[in-house]
Amino acid sequence: MNRFMNINRIMLLLVGCLALTALTSCSDDEWGNDNPEYKNVFIVAFADWGPKSNNDKTYTMQQGGQLEVPVQLWCEGTRSFNADAFVYVDTKLTLGTDFQIVDANGNALQQNSRGGYTLTWDLQTPDATKNHRKQSIFVKALNGQKGDVTLMTFDPKDVDESGKLRISSGGTKNDDTQYYVPNNLTDQYEVRCITVNYKVKVTIE
């Protein structure tokens, strides 16, 4: 167990270093000093890493149950504003019949104009984790059909004609390279996601 926790810590540090290398730092202290123009660029990803830490995290839930999926935003320090990040759903199941995306109390969340779900991050108060603030999104199984619900920080519709995910360079992801892609862009800040750990699969049994 300790070895697994250490691997997770190393992977989190690696993502932070890669973010710095790609000039996508979300820290306004040690990461942001040399690149102040990236002070308000943040990274969103799912908090739980799979066995290979490469989009292979899976959850299993039973009919009638509710499953918590933690999400994290890399941002050190405070800001004068809050930030929105988006989570999308890719599935063959029917929303509202087979499953629902809900809050912690089981209340159904509404899709935004982008077709995703908005997670609002409080950046105006200090966070105990210092640089990776956490909150959760929940999947509720409605005693309908069995199947998979994939949660993504990318819009699953943003693919090329062969079904490959588009990336910021204009190409598509077809190797093991990590890319940084916009999740939400406003006048105040930008939220980016990465092509590693951008999705988790929830299987409803």
Side-chain angles (χ1 to χ4, degrees), residues 177-198:
T177 306
Q178 295 186 27
Y179 298 95
Y180 296 79
V181 187
N183 173 278
N184 185 23
L185 178 63
T186 75
D187 293 337
Q188 289 182 303
Y189 63 87
E190 180 180 350
V191 178
R192 297 181 180 181
C193 45
I194 51 179
T195 53
V196 170
N197 207 35
Y198 73 87

Side-chain angles (χ1 to χ4, degrees), residues 30-156:
E30 57 192 288
W31 292 350
N33 286 340
D34 295 332
N35 299 294
E37 66 270 31
Y38 292 96
K39 172 181 178 179
N40 292 327
V41 177
F42 315 124
I43 297 175
V44 65
F46 292 102
D48 291 340
W49 294 73
K52 296 182 181 179
S53 300
N54 188 17
N55 300 312
D56 55 354
K57 177 63 182 178
T58 61
Y59 298 89
T60 301
M61 64 181 305
Q62 302 300 314
Q63 294 288 354
Q66 181 170 306
L67 178 74
E68 178 179 7
V69 179
V71 184
Q72 60 188 13
L73 185 81
W74 274 273
C75 171
E76 189 166 357
T78 59
R79 304 295 189 275
S80 60
F81 53 83
N82 295 333
D84 290 339
F86 307 128
V87 173
Y88 298 89
V89 172
D90 187 22
T91 183
K92 293 181 180 179
L93 297 181
T94 302
L95 178 68
T97 300
D98 301 320
F99 76 99
Q100 194 68 268
I101 303 299
V102 300
D103 62 19
N105 297 317
N107 301 310
L109 300 180
Q110 300 301 312
Q111 290 174 298
N112 56 37
S113 60
R114 301 167 180 256
Y117 296 89
T118 302
L119 296 180
T120 299
W121 303 85
D122 178 9
L123 304 183
Q124 301 184 58
T125 56
D127 184 81
T129 61
K130 294 186 179 180
N131 66 355
H132 50 281
R133 300 162 184 259
K134 291 184 180 180
Q135 61 174 297
S136 296
I137 193 166
F138 298 81
V139 179
K140 186 174 183 178
L142 301 179
N143 295 303
Q145 295 294 319
K146 299 178 180 179
D148 297 328
V149 176
T150 301
L151 302 180
M152 306 173 63
T153 56
F154 286 92
D155 184 344

